[in-house]
Amino acid sequence: MSRFVEGVDRRQPTLLPECLDDYVAAENPVRVVDVFVDELDLGGLGFEVAPAATGRPAYHPAMLLKLYVYGYLNKVQSSRRLEREARRNVELMWLTGRLAPDHKTIADFRKDNGPAIQAACAQFVVLCRQIGLFGAALVAIDGSKFKAVNTRDKNFTPYKLKKRLEQVAEHIAGYLRDLDTADRQEGETIEARSDRLKEKVERLREQMRMLQAMDAQVAASADGQVSLTDPDARSMATSGRGSGIVGYNVQSAVETEHHLIVAHDVVMTGSDRQQLSSMAGKAKDALGVDALEVLADRGYFSGEEILSCEAMGVTPYVPRPLTSGAKADGRFGKQDFVYLPDQDVYRCPSGALLPRHMTTIEKGMTLHRYWDHFSCQTCALKPQCTPSVARRVTRWEHEAVIDALQKRMDLRPGAMRQRRRTVEHPFGTIKAWMGSTHFLMKRLPNVKTEIGLHILAYNLKRVIAIMGAQPLMAAITA
């Protein structure tokens, strides 16, 4: 006896064929995918569910949606790979009824039904709310840069064009010097070398003309960028030095109890500064609450955005960035001056009161300025305060909102630690699932569809881990 576990002989005939359902366990996540899609109102979400009157029958959108949800749940996002899996994967054979669409049909479904697929993905968040998985009205918001199908060499900005034009001009000058040297010599090898140098110079001059034409396109673009492969992709800076990418900025709002992504968006700007109120509003609607607390890092700090959050019933917790040049130079910063609302004055570190002298409007913001020439000229702390005649303090008309934010941050010192452990893990997980770490599709609407499927897969896997497959299926069909 071999003492090993032995399998069944592949040539062994059976009296009756085995049922395909026997190969799919009751707790298999593929059963959750099947039940979830079957319970969706596909027509209401925007899918074309009426069959064509003529021509070859089409595949039902439910089957193709199941195929994609299963694929993203199992790190298979490519239409060609999904085609192969549908022909050999027992779970997919069970899910699709042994249908195996070609990769073009699979890819066209994702491309042509973007809004409907995004709506289907959003329905799972509604389901989570109905089940009661969202506890405290507290979410963490963050953004992450995802690569697009566009290399850095095919993205052009004024700075990049300037550098490339300088490099091409330098190379042309070098080849021309080599050509002059070759012209002063004789021989067959020298003539062949001269011909090669002339070809290189001509290619570089053609590249120079292309870059000059691209310079005009960049100047005419709205944001000073042109991407050739994916026109919507944008060059964005990242935290690492010299590690900028060409891609998209994916925003997400994650609730703090079960770490489910309740809202997301994709934007073409690398900065998060204008995204706080928008994401907070999406999260508030998704949770269905009247009041919401939001945690975000200092990249989201903006007075106007914080004011907008307060107006919609959202309480933000955002650390204020230290941008004071005076503090960097070792002098008193604005935080060392205390505002006294009853008197509408600032009290400086020496105890003097700085009254308001003027009001101005800059970039649509009403700003008040406070100073006192006499107190500054006689102050012993002036060298530690300002090199000017007097120290001026600027106050925004709605700065009371910022002051209240700072008090909240002081009373909640662990807010940023909670933010990090809540919102940063989902991005790392999704990027690991993507494998190639870049989107497969081009253009912003298609990218939104792709990230929606990724987020649906992430939420689906988390809820299965929290509840189990059988209770989740019972909740879906309830």
Side-chain angles (χ1 to χ4, degrees), residues 6 155 171 208 271 285 374 415:
E6 296 184 3
N155 170 264
H171 290 162
M208 178 76 77
S271 172
D285 293 340
F374 178 77

Side-chain angles (χ1 to χ4, degrees), residues 313-324:
V314 174
T315 304
Y317 289 82
V318 187
R320 189 171 187 170
L322 300 177
T323 57
S324 172

Side-chain angles (χ1 to χ4, degrees), residues 144 201 212 289 298 351 358 444:
S144 183
V201 170
Q212 289 171 346
V289 295
R298 66 182 71 249
M358 66 174 293
L444 182 62

Side-chain angles (χ1 to χ4, degrees), residues 449-465:
T449 301
E450 192 172 349
I451 196 64
L453 286 166
H454 277 296
I455 289 175
L456 171 61
Y458 173 85
N459 284 339
L460 190 60
K461 185 167 286 190
R462 283 202 64 84
V463 175
I464 291 174

Side-chain angles (χ1 to χ4, degrees), residues 149 167 169 213 249 317 392 404 428 471:
V149 190
Q167 291 173 356
N249 186 358
Y317 289 82
R392 298 192 177 199

Side-chain angles (χ1 to χ4, degrees), residues 110-171:
R110 181 172 55 182
K111 182 184 67 175
D112 298 336
N113 295 276
I117 292 175
Q118 294 174 50
C121 296
Q123 280 298 111
F124 190 76
V125 176
V126 176
L127 172 66
C128 292
R129 185 179 69 194
Q130 294 171 348
I131 295 173
L133 292 177
F134 302 148
L138 175 63
V139 300
I141 293 176
D142 199 8
S144 183
K145 314 298 191 304
F146 282 65
K147 291 181 181 179
V149 190
N150 198 105
T151 64
R152 296 171 67 178
D153 290 339
K154 292 190 177 182
N155 170 264
F156 298 92
T157 64
Y159 178 77
K160 288 182 180 179
L161 282 171
K162 179 183 176 183
K163 288 296 182 183
R164 291 188 190 182
L165 286 168
E166 291 175 354
Q167 291 173 356
V168 172
E170 183 179 348
H171 290 162

Side-chain angles (χ1 to χ4, degrees), residues 189-242:
T189 58
I190 297 301
E191 290 180 2
R193 185 167 181 268
S194 297
D195 292 339
R196 289 197 303 272
L197 288 172
K198 289 178 182 178
E199 291 176 2
K200 290 181 179 180
V201 170
E202 184 56 35
R203 284 199 301 269
L204 287 171
R205 283 175 174 165
E206 180 63 29
Q207 186 178 356
M208 178 76 77
R209 289 190 288 270
M210 184 275 292
L211 292 174
Q212 289 171 346
M214 183 59 65
D215 194 14
Q217 294 184 36
V218 171
S221 64
D223 58 353
Q225 286 197 44
V226 172
S227 296
L228 299 182
T229 307
D230 184 353
D232 291 342
R234 289 294 176 265
S235 179
M236 300 178 181
T238 55
S239 57
R241 183 179 178 87

